[in-house]
CSV table of all heavy atoms in Angstrom, one decimal:
chain,number,residue,atom,x,y,z
A,242,ARG,N,64.2,14.0,-70.0
A,242,ARG,CA,64.0,15.3,-70.5
A,242,ARG,C,63.8,16.2,-69.2
A,242,ARG,O,63.5,15.7,-68.2
A,242,ARG,CB,62.8,15.4,-71.4
A,242,ARG,CG,61.5,15.1,-70.8
A,242,ARG,CD,60.4,14.8,-71.7
A,242,ARG,NE,60.3,15.9,-72.8
A,242,ARG,CZ,59.3,15.9,-73.7
A,242,ARG,NH1,58.4,14.9,-73.7
A,242,ARG,NH2,59.2,16.8,-74.6
A,243,PRO,N,64.1,17.5,-69.4
A,243,PRO,CA,63.9,18.4,-68.2
A,243,PRO,C,62.4,18.4,-67.8
A,243,PRO,O,61.5,18.2,-68.6
A,243,PRO,CB,64.3,19.8,-68.8
A,243,PRO,CG,65.1,19.5,-70.0
A,243,PRO,CD,64.6,18.2,-70.6
A,244,HIS,N,62.2,18.6,-66.5
A,244,HIS,CA,60.9,18.9,-65.9
A,244,HIS,C,61.0,20.2,-65.2
A,244,HIS,O,61.4,20.3,-64.1
A,244,HIS,CB,60.5,17.8,-65.0
A,244,HIS,CG,59.1,17.8,-64.5
A,244,HIS,ND1,58.8,18.0,-63.1
A,244,HIS,CD2,57.9,17.8,-65.1
A,244,HIS,CE1,57.5,18.1,-63.0
A,244,HIS,NE2,56.9,18.0,-64.2
A,245,TYR,N,60.4,21.2,-65.9
A,245,TYR,CA,60.6,22.6,-65.4
A,245,TYR,C,59.4,23.0,-64.5
A,245,TYR,O,59.1,24.2,-64.4
A,245,TYR,CB,60.7,23.6,-66.6
A,245,TYR,CG,62.0,23.4,-67.3
A,245,TYR,CD1,62.1,23.3,-68.7
A,245,TYR,CD2,63.3,23.4,-66.6
A,245,TYR,CE1,63.3,23.2,-69.3
A,245,TYR,CE2,64.4,23.2,-67.2
A,245,TYR,CZ,64.5,23.1,-68.6
A,245,TYR,OH,65.7,22.9,-69.3
A,246,GLY,N,58.7,22.1,-63.9
A,246,GLY,CA,57.6,22.4,-63.0
A,246,GLY,C,57.6,21.5,-61.8
A,246,GLY,O,58.6,20.7,-61.6
A,247,VAL,N,56.6,21.6,-61.0
A,247,VAL,CA,56.4,20.7,-59.9
A,247,VAL,C,55.0,20.0,-60.0
A,247,VAL,O,54.0,20.7,-60.3
A,247,VAL,CB,56.4,21.5,-58.5
A,247,VAL,CG1,56.0,20.6,-57.4
A,247,VAL,CG2,57.9,21.9,-58.2
A,248,ASP,N,55.0,18.7,-59.9
A,248,ASP,CA,53.7,18.0,-60.0
A,248,ASP,C,53.1,17.8,-58.6
A,248,ASP,O,53.8,17.3,-57.7
A,248,ASP,CB,54.0,16.6,-60.6
A,248,ASP,CG,54.3,16.6,-62.1
A,248,ASP,OD1,54.2,17.7,-62.7
A,248,ASP,OD2,54.7,15.6,-62.6
A,249,PHE,N,51.9,18.3,-58.5
A,249,PHE,CA,51.2,18.1,-57.2
A,249,PHE,C,50.1,17.1,-57.4
A,249,PHE,O,49.2,17.2,-58.2
A,249,PHE,CB,50.5,19.4,-56.8
A,249,PHE,CG,51.5,20.5,-56.4
A,249,PHE,CD1,51.9,21.5,-57.4
A,249,PHE,CD2,51.9,20.6,-55.1
A,249,PHE,CE1,52.7,22.5,-57.0
A,249,PHE,CE2,52.8,21.6,-54.7
A,249,PHE,CZ,53.2,22.6,-55.7
A,250,ALA,N,50.3,15.9,-56.7
A,250,ALA,CA,49.3,14.9,-56.8
A,250,ALA,C,48.1,15.2,-56.0
A,250,ALA,O,48.3,15.6,-54.8
A,250,ALA,CB,49.9,13.5,-56.4
A,251,ALA,N,46.9,15.1,-56.5
A,251,ALA,CA,45.7,15.4,-55.8
A,251,ALA,C,44.5,14.7,-56.6
A,251,ALA,O,44.6,14.4,-57.7
A,251,ALA,CB,45.5,16.9,-55.7
A,252,PRO,N,43.4,14.4,-55.9
A,252,PRO,CA,42.3,13.8,-56.5
A,252,PRO,C,41.7,14.6,-57.7
A,252,PRO,O,41.7,15.8,-57.6
A,252,PRO,CB,41.3,13.6,-55.4
A,252,PRO,CG,42.1,13.7,-54.1
A,252,PRO,CD,43.2,14.6,-54.4
A,253,THR,N,41.2,13.9,-58.6
A,253,THR,CA,40.5,14.6,-59.7
A,253,THR,C,39.4,15.5,-59.2
A,253,THR,O,38.6,15.1,-58.4
A,253,THR,CB,39.9,13.6,-60.7
A,253,THR,OG1,41.0,12.9,-61.3
A,253,THR,CG2,39.1,14.3,-61.9
A,254,GLY,N,39.4,16.7,-59.7
A,254,GLY,CA,38.3,17.7,-59.3
A,254,GLY,C,38.8,18.6,-58.2
A,254,GLY,O,38.1,19.5,-57.8
A,255,THR,N,40.0,18.4,-57.6
A,255,THR,CA,40.5,19.3,-56.6
A,255,THR,C,40.7,20.7,-57.2
A,255,THR,O,41.3,20.9,-58.3
A,255,THR,CB,41.9,18.9,-56.1
A,255,THR,OG1,41.8,17.6,-55.5
A,255,THR,CG2,42.4,19.8,-55.0
A,256,PRO,N,40.2,21.8,-56.5
A,256,PRO,CA,40.3,23.1,-57.1
A,256,PRO,C,41.7,23.6,-57.2
A,256,PRO,O,42.5,23.4,-56.3
A,256,PRO,CB,39.5,24.0,-56.0
A,256,PRO,CG,38.6,23.0,-55.3
A,256,PRO,CD,39.4,21.7,-55.3
A,257,ILE,N,42.0,24.3,-58.3
A,257,ILE,CA,43.3,24.9,-58.5
A,257,ILE,C,43.2,26.4,-58.4
A,257,ILE,O,42.3,27.0,-59.0
A,257,ILE,CB,43.8,24.5,-60.0
A,257,ILE,CG1,44.0,23.0,-60.1
A,257,ILE,CG2,45.1,25.2,-60.3
A,257,ILE,CD1,44.1,22.6,-61.5
A,258,HIS,N,44.0,27.0,-57.6
A,258,HIS,CA,44.0,28.4,-57.3
A,258,HIS,C,45.1,29.2,-58.0
A,258,HIS,O,46.2,28.7,-58.1
A,258,HIS,CB,44.1,28.7,-55.8
A,258,HIS,CG,43.1,28.0,-55.0
A,258,HIS,ND1,41.9,28.6,-54.6
A,258,HIS,CD2,43.0,26.7,-54.5
A,258,HIS,CE1,41.2,27.8,-53.9
A,258,HIS,NE2,41.8,26.6,-53.8
A,259,ALA,N,44.7,30.3,-58.6
A,259,ALA,CA,45.7,31.2,-59.2
A,259,ALA,C,46.7,31.7,-58.1
A,259,ALA,O,46.2,32.2,-57.0
A,259,ALA,CB,45.1,32.4,-59.8
A,260,THR,N,48.0,31.5,-58.2
A,260,THR,CA,48.9,31.8,-57.2
A,260,THR,C,49.2,33.3,-57.1
A,260,THR,O,49.8,33.8,-56.1
A,260,THR,CB,50.2,31.1,-57.4
A,260,THR,OG1,50.7,31.3,-58.7
A,260,THR,CG2,50.1,29.6,-57.2
A,261,ALA,N,48.8,34.1,-58.1
A,261,ALA,CA,49.0,35.5,-58.1
A,261,ALA,C,48.0,36.2,-59.0
A,261,ALA,O,47.4,35.5,-59.9
A,261,ALA,CB,50.4,35.9,-58.5
A,262,ALA,N,47.7,37.4,-58.7
A,262,ALA,CA,46.8,38.2,-59.6
A,262,ALA,C,47.4,38.3,-60.9
A,262,ALA,O,48.6,38.5,-61.1
A,262,ALA,CB,46.5,39.6,-59.0
A,263,GLY,N,46.6,38.2,-62.0
A,263,GLY,CA,47.1,38.4,-63.3
A,263,GLY,C,46.0,38.3,-64.4
A,263,GLY,O,44.9,38.6,-64.1
A,264,THR,N,46.4,38.0,-65.6
A,264,THR,CA,45.6,37.9,-66.8
A,264,THR,C,45.7,36.6,-67.5
A,264,THR,O,46.9,36.1,-67.6
A,264,THR,CB,45.9,39.1,-67.8
A,264,THR,OG1,45.8,40.4,-67.1
A,264,THR,CG2,44.9,39.1,-68.9
A,265,VAL,N,44.6,36.0,-67.9
A,265,VAL,CA,44.7,34.8,-68.7
A,265,VAL,C,45.2,35.1,-70.1
A,265,VAL,O,44.5,35.8,-70.8
A,265,VAL,CB,43.3,34.1,-68.8
A,265,VAL,CG1,43.4,32.8,-69.6
A,265,VAL,CG2,42.8,33.8,-67.4
A,266,VAL,N,46.4,34.6,-70.5
A,266,VAL,CA,47.0,34.9,-71.8
A,266,VAL,C,46.8,33.7,-72.7
A,266,VAL,O,46.9,33.8,-73.9
A,266,VAL,CB,48.4,35.3,-71.7
A,266,VAL,CG1,48.5,36.7,-71.0
A,266,VAL,CG2,49.3,34.3,-71.0
A,267,ASP,N,46.5,32.5,-72.2
A,267,ASP,CA,46.4,31.3,-73.0
A,267,ASP,C,45.6,30.3,-72.2
A,267,ASP,O,45.7,30.1,-71.0
A,267,ASP,CB,47.7,30.7,-73.4
A,267,ASP,CG,47.6,29.8,-74.6
A,267,ASP,OD1,46.5,29.7,-75.2
A,267,ASP,OD2,48.6,29.2,-75.0
A,268,ARG,N,44.7,29.6,-73.0
A,268,ARG,CA,43.9,28.5,-72.4
A,268,ARG,C,43.5,27.6,-73.4
A,268,ARG,O,43.0,28.0,-74.5
A,268,ARG,CB,42.7,29.1,-71.7
A,268,ARG,CG,42.0,28.2,-70.7
A,268,ARG,CD,40.7,28.7,-70.2
A,268,ARG,NE,39.6,28.2,-71.2
A,268,ARG,CZ,38.3,28.2,-70.9
A,268,ARG,NH1,37.9,28.7,-69.7
A,268,ARG,NH2,37.4,27.7,-71.8
A,269,GLY,N,43.7,26.3,-73.2
A,269,GLY,CA,43.3,25.3,-74.3
A,269,GLY,C,43.8,23.9,-74.0
A,269,GLY,O,43.9,23.5,-72.8
A,270,TYR,N,44.1,23.2,-75.1
A,270,TYR,CA,44.5,21.8,-75.0
A,270,TYR,C,45.7,21.5,-75.9
A,270,TYR,O,45.7,21.9,-77.0
A,270,TYR,CB,43.3,20.9,-75.3
A,270,TYR,CG,43.7,19.4,-75.2
A,270,TYR,CD1,43.6,18.7,-74.0
A,270,TYR,CD2,44.2,18.7,-76.3
A,270,TYR,CE1,43.9,17.3,-73.9
A,270,TYR,CE2,44.6,17.3,-76.2
A,270,TYR,CZ,44.4,16.7,-75.0
A,270,TYR,OH,44.8,15.4,-75.0
A,271,ARG,N,46.6,20.8,-75.4
A,271,ARG,CA,47.8,20.3,-76.2
A,271,ARG,C,48.0,18.8,-75.8
A,271,ARG,O,47.8,18.5,-74.6
A,271,ARG,CB,49.0,21.1,-75.9
A,271,ARG,CG,49.0,22.5,-76.5
A,271,ARG,CD,50.3,23.3,-76.1
A,271,ARG,NE,50.2,24.7,-76.5
A,271,ARG,CZ,51.1,25.6,-76.1
A,271,ARG,NH1,52.1,25.3,-75.3
A,271,ARG,NH2,51.0,26.9,-76.5
A,272,ILE,N,48.5,18.1,-76.7
A,272,ILE,CA,48.6,16.6,-76.5
A,272,ILE,C,49.4,16.3,-75.3
A,272,ILE,O,49.1,15.3,-74.5
A,272,ILE,CB,49.1,15.9,-77.8
A,272,ILE,CG1,48.9,14.4,-77.6
A,272,ILE,CG2,50.5,16.3,-78.1
A,272,ILE,CD1,49.1,13.6,-78.9
A,273,GLY,N,50.5,17.0,-75.0
A,273,GLY,CA,51.3,16.7,-73.9
A,273,GLY,C,50.8,17.3,-72.6
A,273,GLY,O,50.8,16.7,-71.5
A,274,ASN,N,50.4,18.6,-72.7
A,274,ASN,CA,49.9,19.3,-71.5
A,274,ASN,C,48.5,19.0,-71.1
A,274,ASN,O,48.2,19.3,-69.9
A,274,ASN,CB,50.0,20.8,-71.8
A,274,ASN,CG,51.4,21.3,-72.2
A,274,ASN,OD1,52.4,20.7,-71.9
A,274,ASN,ND2,51.5,22.5,-72.8
A,275,GLY,N,47.7,18.5,-72.0
A,275,GLY,CA,46.3,18.3,-71.7
A,275,GLY,C,45.7,19.7,-71.6
A,275,GLY,O,46.1,20.6,-72.3
A,276,ASN,N,44.6,19.8,-70.8
A,276,ASN,CA,44.0,21.1,-70.6
A,276,ASN,C,45.0,21.9,-69.8
A,276,ASN,O,45.4,21.5,-68.7
A,276,ASN,CB,42.7,20.9,-69.8
A,276,ASN,CG,41.6,20.2,-70.7
A,276,ASN,OD1,41.6,20.4,-71.9
A,276,ASN,ND2,40.8,19.4,-70.1
A,277,TYR,N,45.2,23.2,-70.2
A,277,TYR,CA,46.2,24.0,-69.5
A,277,TYR,C,45.7,25.5,-69.5
A,277,TYR,O,44.9,25.8,-70.4
A,277,TYR,CB,47.6,23.9,-70.2
A,277,TYR,CG,47.7,24.6,-71.5
A,277,TYR,CD1,48.0,26.0,-71.7
A,277,TYR,CD2,47.3,23.9,-72.7
A,277,TYR,CE1,48.1,26.6,-72.9
A,277,TYR,CE2,47.3,24.5,-73.9
A,277,TYR,CZ,47.7,25.9,-74.0
A,277,TYR,OH,47.7,26.5,-75.3
A,278,ILE,N,46.2,26.2,-68.6
A,278,ILE,CA,45.9,27.6,-68.6
A,278,ILE,C,47.2,28.4,-68.2
A,278,ILE,O,47.9,27.9,-67.3
A,278,ILE,CB,44.7,27.9,-67.6
A,278,ILE,CG1,44.3,29.4,-67.6
A,278,ILE,CG2,45.1,27.5,-66.2
A,278,ILE,CD1,43.0,29.7,-66.9
A,279,LYS,N,47.4,29.5,-68.8
A,279,LYS,CA,48.6,30.3,-68.6
A,279,LYS,C,48.2,31.7,-68.2
A,279,LYS,O,47.3,32.3,-68.7
A,279,LYS,CB,49.5,30.4,-69.8
A,279,LYS,CG,50.8,31.2,-69.6
A,279,LYS,CD,51.6,31.4,-70.9
A,279,LYS,CE,52.1,30.1,-71.4
A,279,LYS,NZ,53.0,30.3,-72.6
A,280,LEU,N,48.8,32.2,-67.1
A,280,LEU,CA,48.5,33.5,-66.5
A,280,LEU,C,49.8,34.4,-66.6
A,280,LEU,O,50.9,33.9,-66.4
A,280,LEU,CB,48.1,33.5,-65.1
A,280,LEU,CG,46.9,32.6,-64.7
A,280,LEU,CD1,46.7,32.7,-63.2
A,280,LEU,CD2,45.7,32.9,-65.5
Side-chain angles (χ1 to χ4, degrees):
R242 63 195 312 183
H244 184 242
Y245 292 131
V247 168
D248 289 349
F249 292 95
T253 297
T255 300
I257 299 167
H258 301 267
T260 52
T264 303
V265 178
V266 293
D267 198 7
R268 197 192 88 163
Y270 178 88
R271 291 178 187 166
I272 189 169
N274 299 342
N276 293 323
Y277 71 93
I278 185 168
K279 183 188 290 186
L280 306 181

